[in-house]
Amino acid sequence: MNQNTPDILTFGEAMTLFAADAPGDLAEVERFSRSCAGADTNVAIGLSRLGFKVGWLSRVGEDCFGRYLRASLEREGLDCRHLITDAEHATGLVFKERAVGGADPRVEYRRHNSAASKLSPADAQDVDFSTLRHLHATGIPPALSASCRELSQFLLEKARQHGTSVSFDPNLRPTLWASESEMRDTLNGLAAQANWVLPGLSEGQLLTGQTSAHDIAGFYLDQGADAVVIKLGPEGSYYRGTLTGQDETFTVAGVPVETVVDTVGAGDGFAVGFVSAMLDGLDPRQALKRANLIGAEQVQVPGDMEGLPDRERLDQLEAATAA
């Protein structure tokens, strides 16, 4: 394997985030802090911080926001050889309220007709699937446009053809879809290509029509998944799968958090924990413990990915939890 080639690939839309420095209506806020946003980039950054070689496939505009994102992602160690600069479309923007009391912050997007929404399978023609160890996908790219949907299907199919493991987080964005049925059918079709499916409980209920974690997991296992991990928020997470060679079902309790600062990015931190643990060779129970732990870290900071630990910090957290 080429040592300079990433062994994990992520893709989607990175946006420049402007987060309010003080609580209140966005119309009244005068100062914002700039950073990166996007569920897919959060996971990419989290895995890169843990020492994995992560590639990022996307499009940004030929504007200051696109240049900022490229520089920021490269500083985080991401391989941006598949990050295309689009001279005809702008980089997406997002503005986020400073939430109080652990509430979900309000956000406003400027992403219509963005550079990333123009992604298509043509942008992935140079991807060397023979070197990839893992592909992480979410339900956000296929919600952006028909061509993004085609890209998602192309990448998941190619990854499975090459024996690359695939994780899929539905990451529902209902307002981006023409209809709930289109969202459900598309995302369930993509989940059928994944080894590890990672929905939240309410997401799984909406997508499958099932109510219990057990039955939601059964739906995706019947489609071909090897494991389904369902996020239960503060209560932890639920596992059902065959990763150890036998059918297993269990729940791992959540990590207590004294103060929830910002819930954005918690699910992405969870995905970082589970995927990294599986790629590290840990068993499913250990993987859920790490996923719960990183998700809990993420809700204790105001940013979308500032709580994602590097390897040294993760080792400290896991040692403290074990003790």
Side-chain angles (χ1 to χ4, degrees):
M1 179 184 293
N2 184 340
Q3 294 303 308
N4 294 320
T5 302
D7 53 13
I8 298 174
L9 182 67
T10 55
F11 67 100
E13 180 173 38
M15 292 173 286
T16 299
L17 166 67
F18 291 91
D21 285 346
D25 191 302
L26 285 173
E28 307 297 328
V29 173
E30 295 186 356
R31 293 181 175 83
F32 295 81
S33 298
R34 183 177 66 170
S35 62
C36 300
D40 310 277
T41 46
N42 290 342
V43 176
I45 288 168
L47 292 171
S48 179
R49 288 181 183 175
L50 294 178
F52 295 97
K53 296 176 182 177
V54 185
W56 173 244
L57 189 156
S58 189
R59 283 176 172 259
V60 292
E62 192 174 22
D63 49 37
C64 62
F65 303 116
R67 294 195 300 273
Y68 166 74
L69 287 174
R70 183 182 295 273
S72 299
L73 297 175
E74 288 179 343
R75 277 197 301 271
E76 288 285 356
L78 269 61
D79 184 313
C80 291
R81 72 183 68 190
H82 300 300
L83 177 56
I84 298 163
T85 297
D86 185 333
E88 298 181 2
H89 302 93
T91 305
L93 306 177
V94 57
F95 298 84
K96 185 172 74 169
E97 187 180 70
R98 172 63 64 89
V100 295
D104 291 338
R106 294 190 187 91
V107 293
E108 292 189 12
Y109 296 97
R110 297 294 179 268
R111 76 197 314 179
H112 178 68
N113 213 32
S114 69
S117 73
K118 304 304 176 182
L119 282 164
S120 74
D123 297 321
Q125 295 305 313
D126 293 335
V127 174
D128 186 355
F129 290 92
S130 68
T131 68
L132 284 184
R133 184 181 177 195
H134 186 75
L135 174 73
H136 179 71
T138 77
I140 297 176
L144 298 178
S145 68
S147 64
C148 283
R149 200 167 308 150
E150 293 170 4
L151 171 69
S152 298
Q153 293 165 343
F154 174 81
L155 287 172
L156 269 68
E157 289 171 3
K158 281 288 189 180
R160 290 305 298 267
Q161 288 170 12
H162 283 79
T164 301
S165 59
V166 177
S167 51
F168 180 70
D169 184 342
N171 235 310
L172 298 189
R173 299 292 190 273
T175 58
L176 295 178
W177 291 92
S179 68
E180 184 179 301
S181 61
E182 181 185 52
M183 176 181 73
R184 187 169 53 245
D185 293 346
T186 302
L187 298 188
N188 285 338
L190 292 171
Q193 297 288 328
N195 302 91
W196 314 327
V197 183
L198 312 172
L201 180 61
S202 61
E203 290 178 325
Q205 291 168 337
L206 180 58
L207 289 172
T208 69
Q210 305 298 320
T211 55
S212 70
H214 181 273
D215 290 341
I216 293 167
F219 177 93
Y220 290 116
L221 291 172
D222 287 344
Q223 287 196 167
D226 299 315
V228 182
V229 180
I230 299 176
K231 293 164 280 190
L232 304 176
E235 285 71 45
S237 50
Y238 171 91
Y239 171 90
R240 185 178 174 191
T242 59
L243 293 177
T244 61
Q246 57 184 1
D247 292 334
E248 282 188 298
T249 299
F250 56 81
T251 300
V252 174
V255 176
V257 172
E258 185 173 334
T259 303
V260 175
V261 176
D262 189 337
T263 57
V264 174
D268 306 327
F270 184 95
V272 170
F274 182 79
V275 171
S276 67
M278 296 308 302
L279 297 180
D280 282 344
L282 303 185
D283 66 39
R285 191 177 294 273
Q286 293 170 315
L288 264 64
K289 288 180 179 178
R290 180 183 290 183
N292 291 346
L293 181 62
I294 297 182
E297 283 293 292
Q298 181 56 38
V299 301
Q300 297 179 69
V301 298
D304 287 18
M305 47 77 179
E306 281 71 7
L308 301 175
D310 59 19
R311 182 66 70 165
E312 181 180 2
R313 172 64 174 159
L314 177 61
D315 290 343
Q316 293 171 351
L317 290 168
E318 291 188 323
T321 302

